[in-house]
């Protein structure tokens, strides 16, 4: 379950290509009770194989380049925000009100990194902006009551559940019925015609345009990966939504960043869409539909487009329209109880749901592009943090085995040796974790460093 073969099958890949993948195992990487290291390796390995497959097709190579997945590089990338230094400064971590809190009957976890989420949390609890006031208020409430009250106010708080409790929850059942990667065809658009890709380095996504309508971590990790592979990625944000500068720097490699109001800037957006090859979204399901950004609507205006959608809880079930973050999904699905206990919850060693799902999303886009070369058709790809969480929990029985199934050769290696890169940027000198997506002849770094959020014009370069 936790091997590259399983993920590759979910992506619709040819199982014969798994012979091109090898792995360097480092048992000290991403230690956890759940099989985080194996899951992370599988997500990155499948993404790299999808990139190598598309690159070979576009460059006219006789065979798919070899893919090598190193646990050390994967582990460093999965905590890339911790390795980042901007002008020697460490990034700002979670905000004071983003944490676990005791309630009258258990625990909740809140997310208040953004000012508007913090304000809504405080309004729901009726307390001033002081951790001790929040703690006192929550100590008198039940976890389920807190979850619903904060949600009703537009904030973010999730009650701690065990895996069994999540399985019995209506949303848990809805997500459990989803594939790890949802893939579909929207129409009968003609087969994609791609110009031949350069071979030095081999850039599978060269010349392709990606509209990036994502925020926070998982979606930006996906588009950061597509940028590494040569795509022209333009991230577009609403002017009024705040962004965390360090978070943007960590996930902004290879991209340009613009601000655009979709309500008043529709003409500008339609100009972007007219020549876009992929549109990647990371907002709540349905949140962008009023702007004409549902997959079917996008394909109707831009036949042949790949629409990739990321959500926290999945598009179905009673929580389908709720906001969510990696830390909250860990709590709701039972991961926090497994990594700790119901008496004192724990957490994964990385935001592994975010990062893992990001690589799944990028892999889904790459595979959709490859399929379009042969079969045509606009495509849709969907992933959800909660589904990735379920997959991780399903693989718990094999935790610590390091089994790779039919994914290719393996090498044993010494404990993790973190290798970081450094370069100048408009933000200052950056130290950062390189991408773990690696294949023979492929790129080893992004073509451009991140710049200030929203500093670029809303047009293709």
């Amino acid at each position: 379950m936790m091997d590259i073969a399983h993920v590759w099958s979910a992506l619709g890949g040819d199982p014969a290509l798994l012979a091109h993948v090898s792995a360097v195992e480092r048992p000290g990487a991403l230690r956890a009770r759940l099989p985080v290291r194996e899951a992370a390796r599988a997500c990155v390995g499948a993404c790299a194989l999808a990139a190598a497959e598309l690159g070979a097709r576009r460059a006219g190579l006789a065979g798919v380049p070899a893919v090598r997945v190193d646990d050390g590089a994967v582990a460093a990338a999965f905590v890339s925000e911790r390795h980042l230094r901007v002008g020697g400064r460490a990034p700002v971590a979670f905000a004071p009100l983003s944490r676990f809190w005791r309630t009258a009957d258990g625990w909740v976890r809140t997310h208040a990194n953004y000012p508007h989420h913090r304000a809504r949390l405080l309004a729901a609890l009726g307390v001033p902006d002081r951790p001790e006031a929040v703690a006192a208020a929550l100590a008198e409430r039940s976890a389920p009551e807190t979850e619903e009250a904060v949600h009703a106010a537009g904030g973010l708080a999730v009650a701690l559940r065990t895996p069994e409790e999540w399985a019995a929850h209506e949303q848990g059942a809805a997500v459990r019925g989803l594939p790890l990667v949802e893939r579909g065809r929207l129409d009968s658009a003609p087969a994609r015609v791609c110009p031949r890709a350069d071979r030095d380095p081999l850039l599978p996504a060269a010349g392709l345009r990606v509209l990036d309508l994502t925020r926070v971590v998982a979606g930006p990790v996906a588009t950061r990966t597509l940028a590494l592979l040569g795509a022209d990625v333009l991230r577009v944000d609403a002017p009024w939504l705040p962004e965390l500068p360090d978070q943007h720097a960590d996930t902004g490699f290879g991209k340009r960043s613009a601000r655009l109001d979709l309500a008043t800037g529709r003409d500008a957006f339609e100009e972007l869409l007219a020549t876009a090859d992929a549109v990647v979204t990371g907002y709540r399901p349905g949140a962008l539909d009023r702007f004409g950004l549902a997959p079917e609507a996008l394909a109707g205006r831009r036949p042949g487009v790949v629409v990739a959608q990321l959500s926290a809880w999945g598009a179905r079930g009673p929580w389908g329209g709720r906001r969510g973050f990696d830390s909250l999904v860990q709590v709701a699905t039972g991961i926090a109880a497994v990594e700790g206990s119901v008496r004192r919850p724990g957490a994964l060693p990385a935001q592994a749901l975010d990062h893992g799902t990001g690589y799944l999303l990028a892999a889904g886009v790459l595979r959709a592009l490859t399929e379009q070369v042969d079969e045509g058709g606009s495509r849709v790809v969907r992933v959800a943090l909660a589904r990735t969480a379920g997959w991780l929990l399903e693989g718990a029985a094999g935790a610590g085995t390091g089994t790779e199934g039919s994914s290719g050769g393996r090498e044993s290696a010494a404990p993790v040796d973190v290798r970081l890169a450094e370069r100048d940027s408009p933000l200052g000198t950056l130290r950062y974790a390189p991408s773990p997506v690696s294949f023979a002849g492929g790129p080893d770094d992004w073509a451009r460093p991140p710049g200030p959020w929203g500093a670029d014009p809303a047009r293709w370069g």
Side-chain angles (χ1 to χ4, degrees):
M1 284 292 292
M2 307 311 298
D3 58 13
I4 297 174
H6 179 80
V7 177
W8 189 241
S9 175
L11 291 164
D14 179 358
L17 296 184
L18 291 167
H20 295 260
V21 183
S22 63
V24 179
E25 297 184 9
R26 302 183 189 273
L30 298 174
R31 288 190 179 277
R33 292 178 179 176
L34 292 170
V36 177
R37 177 170 60 97
E38 291 83 355
R41 182 195 309 144
C43 292
V44 171
C47 184
L49 183 56
E53 176 192 33
L54 178 60
R57 179 69 60 87
R58 292 192 62 194
L61 302 181
V64 172
V67 171
R68 188 169 181 265
V69 192
D70 190 319
D71 282 354
V74 172
F78 268 55
V79 291
S80 58
E81 67 280 357
R82 301 180 200 171
H83 292 302
L84 179 70
R85 296 292 182 272
V86 181
R89 177 185 58 80
V92 177
F94 276 88
L97 299 187
S98 296
R99 46 167 276 197
F100 283 108
W101 306 88
R102 284 189 180 274
T103 62
D105 62 346
W107 294 85
V108 295
R109 182 152 190 171
T110 56
H111 194 287
N113 283 6
Y114 291 100
H116 56 299
H117 292 156
R118 182 178 68 248
R120 293 168 186 171
L121 171 66
L122 296 171
L125 300 178
V127 298
D129 190 0
R130 298 198 308 272
E132 62 272 19
V134 174
L138 291 176
E140 297 178 353
R141 297 172 177 243
S142 73
E145 174 195 359
T146 300
E147 180 179 86
E148 289 307 314
V150 175
H151 166 66
L156 293 141
V158 171
L160 176 69
R161 292 174 173 83
T162 65
E164 295 75 22
E165 289 170 333
W166 178 247
H169 192 280
E170 191 175 351
Q171 188 62 33
V175 174
R176 191 165 57 251
L178 298 176
L180 183 61
V181 181
E182 289 188 83
R183 304 161 51 249
R185 181 169 176 164
L186 297 169
D187 57 26
S188 57
R192 177 177 292 276
V193 178
C194 293
R196 176 154 296 200
D198 292 336
R199 298 189 184 185
D200 187 23
L202 180 58
L203 295 173
L208 301 179
R209 289 175 167 175
V210 176
L211 263 177
D212 178 4
L213 305 178
T214 69
R215 290 173 58 78
V216 195
V217 179
V221 164
T223 52
R224 180 180 70 181
T225 302
L226 296 174
L228 172 83
L229 300 171
D232 180 4
V233 178
L234 178 64
R235 174 169 162 172
V236 177
D237 285 277
W240 61 84
L241 284 178
E243 180 55 297
L244 306 177
D246 292 336
Q247 185 171 268
H248 184 263
D250 179 49
T251 59
F253 283 88
K255 312 177 195 179
R256 289 177 297 113
S257 170
R259 285 176 279 186
L260 180 67
D261 184 339
L262 295 181
T264 61
R266 286 298 297 274
D267 289 345
F269 179 82
E270 293 302 318
E271 287 182 14
L272 293 170
L273 176 63
T275 56
D277 297 285
V279 179
V280 185
T281 69
Y283 292 77
R284 290 173 295 129
L288 298 177
D289 289 3
R290 68 184 187 278
F291 300 113
L293 298 183
E296 296 78 8
L298 288 168
R301 305 199 305 280
R302 174 58 171 156
V305 72
V306 175
V307 183
Q309 296 182 315
L310 162 79
S311 65
W313 306 107
R316 305 171 194 168
W319 285 19
R322 293 198 179 192
R323 299 173 178 86
F325 293 89
D326 180 304
S327 58
L328 302 183
V329 176
Q330 289 188 40
V331 173
T333 59
I335 288 175
V338 172
E339 290 296 329
S341 70
V342 292
R343 293 185 176 183
R344 182 164 294 277
L348 297 176
Q351 293 186 71
L353 305 181
D354 266 336
H355 287 270
T357 306
Y359 290 109
L360 290 176
L361 189 60
V365 171
L366 294 166
R367 288 251 56 251
L369 292 167
T370 297
E371 290 175 338
Q372 285 181 325
V373 173
D374 294 328
E375 306 167 10
S378 303
R379 306 282 169 149
V380 62
V381 179
R382 292 188 182 95
V383 293
L385 300 185
R387 184 63 192 95
T388 304
W391 172 58
L392 183 60
L393 287 162
E394 291 161 12
T401 62
T403 301
E404 280 296 296
S406 59
S407 63
R410 299 190 300 275
E411 305 171 37
S412 295
V416 180
D417 176 20
V418 177
R419 298 181 181 179
L420 303 176
E422 189 172 289
R423 69 192 300 177
D424 292 331
S425 81
L427 306 175
T429 301
L430 300 179
R431 191 195 76 177
Y432 58 97
S435 174
V437 174
S438 176
F439 55 92
D444 56 10
D445 203 351
W446 289 274
R448 58 186 296 157
W453 176 68
D456 297 297
R459 60 174 181 266
W460 297 114

